[in-house]
Amino acid sequence: MPTSPITAAPELLADALRPLLLRLSRRLRQEAQKAGVSALDALILGQIHRNPGVGVCELADAERLSRPTMSGHVKRLEAAGWVARADHAEDGRRSGLAVTPAGDARIEDIRRLRNDWLSSRLTQLSEAERDQIAQAAPALLKLLSLDA
């Protein structure tokens, strides 16, 4: 199968993908906001859910935010009742973070809203178009992992 000029040149592919991915990301962020959560708070809540016991400093480093900024977000999530601090298992001077049952419910709300929005759009595509997207998913995930 011949390669198209866009896929052959990374610069052209980047120029074609960037606006599409930004628009898709923006729409998914808007769905999170319908659940009453900012995009960044949803991201942080998800990080804590995937990494129970993580500390504020590790979260800040992972998300490339300043520690005071991350601390403010964590305090807001705590005040909402979505995150709680717990003593660190190995270092009594530190505390780790965990998602509360209310936070788990909020994560599920966000996931449902985002999936519903995306699913409603995917059903409007042909099976061949959905197959193309499914085939691209592993490469897009790899693209994200290259940043680590």
Side-chain angles (χ1 to χ4, degrees):
M1 177 184 234
T3 303
S4 78
I6 288 180
T7 57
E11 301 83 15
L12 294 175
L13 182 57
D15 196 47
L17 277 177
R18 181 187 36 75
L20 300 172
L21 294 174
L22 287 171
R23 288 178 60 198
L24 180 60
S25 178
R26 181 173 184 259
R27 285 296 291 134
L28 292 173
R29 283 192 313 269
Q30 289 171 342
E31 293 304 309
Q33 290 173 339
K34 288 180 182 178
V37 182
S38 75
L40 184 54
D41 285 347
L43 178 75
I44 294 166
L45 197 56
Q47 279 280 21
I48 297 168
H49 181 76
R50 286 185 298 280
N51 303 294
V54 67
V56 173
C57 294
E58 291 118 335
L59 272 177
D61 293 345
E63 295 305 323
R64 296 187 174 123
L65 294 172
S66 73
R67 290 175 180 178
T69 297
M70 182 58 74
S71 181
H73 285 283
V74 168
K75 286 177 184 174
R76 188 168 43 259
L77 293 173
E78 282 181 291
W82 301 336
V83 170
R85 293 181 193 257
D87 290 337
H88 195 275
E90 298 163 11
D91 185 348
R93 298 168 296 173
R94 296 178 46 204
S95 64
L97 301 167
V99 176
T100 65
D104 282 331
R106 189 55 48 144
I107 289 170
E108 193 51 43
D109 290 344
I110 294 165
R111 186 176 292 139
R112 181 185 42 77
L113 286 165
R114 287 175 170 174
N115 284 348
D116 288 352
W117 180 85
L118 194 52
S119 179
S120 72
R121 270 59 184 181
L122 289 168
T123 60
Q124 297 176 48
L125 300 178
S126 70
E127 187 175 340
E129 290 168 324
R130 288 193 305 270
D131 283 345
Q132 288 175 329
I133 292 171
Q135 290 173 16
L140 291 171
L141 284 172
K142 182 176 180 181
L143 189 63
L144 285 172
S145 72
L146 297 174
D147 197 29

